[in-house]
Amino acid sequence: MAGALSIRIAIMGPSGSGKTTFINEASGSDFAIGKGLESCTSEVQATKPFKLNGREVTLIDTPGFDDTSRSDTDILAMIGAYLSQTYEHGTKLAGIVYMHRISDFRMGGTNKRNFKMFRELCGESTLRNVLIVTNMWSEVTSDLGEMREKQLEGNFFKAVLDKGARMLKHEGTRESTHRILRYLIHNQPATLLIQKELVNERKNIVQTSAGSELTRVLNEQQERHGEVVAQLRKDMEAAIREKDHETREELKEEIRTKHERILELQGETERLKAEFKAAKERLEARISTMEEKHHEQGRTVDTLKEQLEAERKDREKLAVEQEQKEQRLRRLEEDNAKAQELERLNSVRELNRLAAVRAELQEELHKEEQQSTKESETSGGGLIEDVVAWVKSWWP
């Protein structure tokens, strides 16, 4: 099934928010799940299509921007490459589910950074295709969960809800995942902001809204590290004045470490470009491999079709030959039956003829007997009687 009946939905959110669990419950997949807040999703991965309300649904699992094994630079490059590559191949998302833990007692910096990046990826025009799904209700009381839900609706998520997004509750069951997905399966697929920027506007990943947001975060980190280095230098000058060699060496090592981190942050912009390019190349290679596999399967199917068609023609030919053979046999049987019937009729006619001849002879004999009797009566018999006796002995 393809075309309008085949849809894709992305699942996003912080690490440990239950994205992969939601996907496994909904699709019957067996993606690896992390423990606690540890991430186990290090690549963008898609489920096999599954049926839901007459549609074939594919769910896209994405790592969070607080991933425990990959940097935000890696995550943005990975997600940006996937979204742009699939968009170039004609695929849009029918919706996006953003997972949020209702068990989080406050909206910390990680949650805020994740949601900010999410908004920069989506843009404003696609928010009608966005669902904010609260998760992990079993970890809080009903009253506490409902109170937090109202706070989220009135504060943190208010801006996107006012622009068309919806907020739903996930109850941790397969039925609940399908109920949530039904809100999206009839949506008109939309182009995300990052897809428009990367593909339609030909921007590089750094120039996109999400790239600009990441650059802003990286610059803030550099500034903070710079402030820390400045303070460490003051502390080291004090240690030098006090001739505290041990403290001075410790501070010197800490300054060196901070400088290395600053240099890393300064190189993140270029690394983002490189990672994005590498991710796209990996995806393109995977797509090419899949297309070649698909073509090979197509060729195999074509070969099987040809074989089946040849077998069908052979069966039809054999069936025709068998029918012709049976027709010949039936004609032979009919001819044989006719011959036997003709022979029987001929035999009957011959018997009837012989019977008629016999009857005629008997009639003639009878007449001759009568004549002989009359002649005997007049001449005294003798010779005629002898002739009659001789004929009777010859004709039974």
Side-chain angles (χ1 to χ4, degrees):
M1 195 179 299
L5 297 181
S6 180
I7 63 170
R8 288 175 171 252
I9 298 172
I11 313 298
M12 297 185 178
S15 298
S17 60
K19 299 187 297 295
T20 305
T21 300
F22 180 95
I23 287 172
N24 287 345
E25 289 170 345
S27 66
S29 300
D30 191 26
F31 292 163
I33 299 172
K35 296 180 180 179
L37 298 181
E38 183 180 352
S39 172
C40 205
T41 304
S42 58
E43 294 283 347
V44 177
Q45 51 189 349
T47 68
K48 292 181 179 179
F50 62 95
K51 295 284 184 65
L52 182 62
N53 284 47
R55 301 295 179 101
E56 279 202 347
V57 181
T58 300
L59 300 181
I60 314 301
D61 194 10
T62 62
F65 282 96
D66 55 341
D67 190 84
T68 54
S69 61
R70 308 290 291 271
S71 70
D72 287 354
T73 298
D74 296 326
I75 302 304
L76 178 57
M78 193 187 311
I79 294 176
Y82 181 87
L83 291 175
S84 64
Q85 195 76 9
T86 52
Y87 180 55
E88 287 174 352
H89 283 78
T91 301
K92 298 180 183 180
L93 296 176
I96 305 176
V97 173
Y98 184 86
M99 305 292 293
H100 176 77
R101 296 180 294 262
I102 198 69
S103 56
D104 286 353
F105 62 91
R106 64 184 179 84
M107 297 301 294
T110 298
N111 280 327
K112 290 179 179 178
R113 187 171 76 254
N114 257 287
F115 192 63
K116 177 64 175 173
M117 289 297 295
F118 171 77
R119 291 196 62 179
E120 299 300 339
L121 287 170
C122 296
E124 300 294 313
S125 63
T126 58
L127 290 177
R128 291 185 179 277
N129 287 9
V130 169
L131 295 179
I132 307 297
V133 174
T134 54
N135 195 20
M136 301 186 181
W137 283 78
S138 61
E139 298 183 10
V140 297
T141 63
S142 297
D143 291 342
L144 179 58
E146 290 172 3
M147 181 189 72
R148 288 179 179 172
E149 186 178 43
K150 290 179 180 178
Q151 291 174 344
L152 292 170
E153 289 175 338
N155 293 284
F156 192 70
F157 294 126
K158 185 177 186 305
V160 295
L161 295 175
D162 288 344
K163 293 180 180 179
R166 283 169 289 189
M167 191 169 177
L168 299 174
K169 175 182 177 181
H170 176 40
E171 297 171 347
T173 64
R174 181 180 178 85
E175 292 74 19
S176 179
T177 63
H178 288 181
R179 175 182 59 82
I180 291 167
L181 294 175
R182 287 189 185 98
Y183 281 88
L184 299 173
I185 61 176
H186 297 293
N187 282 354
Q188 180 69 30
T191 304
L192 302 185
L193 176 59
I194 194 168
Q195 292 174 320
K196 178 182 176 183
E197 291 174 324
L198 290 171
V199 179
N200 298 350
E201 298 175 3
R202 300 294 180 182
K203 293 182 178 180
N204 66 52
I205 187 71
V206 177
Q207 295 171 331
T208 65
S209 295
S212 297
E213 173 61 20
L214 178 60
T215 300
R216 184 190 65 79
V217 171
L218 293 173
N219 288 337
E220 287 182 353
Q221 292 178 7
Q222 288 183 55
E223 290 176 4
R224 287 196 297 271
H225 283 298
E227 292 171 355
V228 170
V229 167
Q231 183 59 49
L232 289 173
R233 288 187 181 281
K234 291 179 181 179
D235 294 341
M236 190 171 70
E237 290 173 359
I240 291 172
R241 286 195 300 270
E242 295 172 4
K243 297 183 179 180
D244 185 346
H245 299 292
E246 183 177 351
T247 300
R248 185 187 67 180
E249 291 301 317
E250 290 176 356
L251 291 171
K252 184 178 179 181
E253 179 61 26
E254 194 169 350
I255 290 171
R256 186 187 65 80
T257 301
K258 290 294 182 183
H259 268 303
E260 289 178 354
R261 180 55 184 158
I262 289 172
L263 290 174
E264 288 177 4
L265 291 171
Q266 289 173 347
E268 285 295 281
T269 298
E270 291 304 315
R271 198 170 76 81
L272 175 59
K273 294 179 183 178
E275 284 295 321
F276 175 74
K277 181 181 178 182
K280 283 204 71 173
E281 289 173 351
R282 288 194 300 270
L283 278 171
E284 189 60 43
R286 285 170 56 189
I287 291 172
S288 297
T289 301
M290 291 172 64
E291 287 178 346
E292 178 57 32
K293 185 177 180 181
H294 178 73
H295 291 155
E296 181 62 30
Q297 290 174 342
R299 288 191 291 270
T300 302
V301 169
D302 290 341
T303 301
L304 289 174
K305 284 181 178 179
E306 291 174 358
Q307 292 175 351
L308 289 172
E309 181 63 18
E311 290 176 2
R312 183 187 65 80
K313 290 180 178 179
D314 288 342
R315 287 195 300 270
E316 289 180 352
K317 182 179 178 181
L318 289 173
V320 170
E321 291 175 350
Q322 182 65 24
E323 179 63 23
Q324 291 173 345
K325 182 179 179 181
E326 291 176 355
Q327 287 177 356
R328 289 195 297 271
L329 288 173
R330 286 196 294 269
R331 284 197 297 269
L332 287 171
E333 290 173 355
E334 290 172 358
D335 293 343
N336 187 47
K338 288 178 181 179
Q340 290 178 351
E341 179 64 17
L342 182 60
E343 185 178 350
R344 185 186 67 79
L345 292 173
N346 289 336
S347 297
V348 170
R349 282 195 294 269
E350 182 64 20
L351 289 173
N352 289 338
R353 187 185 66 78
L354 291 173
V357 170
R358 179 179 179 181
E360 289 176 359
L361 289 172
Q362 288 177 340
E363 180 64 22
E364 290 177 359
L365 287 172
H366 181 67
K367 288 179 179 179
E368 290 179 357
E369 285 178 356
Q370 288 179 344
Q371 183 66 32
S372 297
T373 302
K374 289 179 180 181
E375 291 177 355
S376 297
E377 290 176 353
T378 57
S379 62
L383 179 60
I384 293 174
E385 292 176 351
D386 293 338
V387 171
V388 170
W390 176 82
V391 169
K392 285 182 177 180
S393 66
W394 176 79
W395 192 269

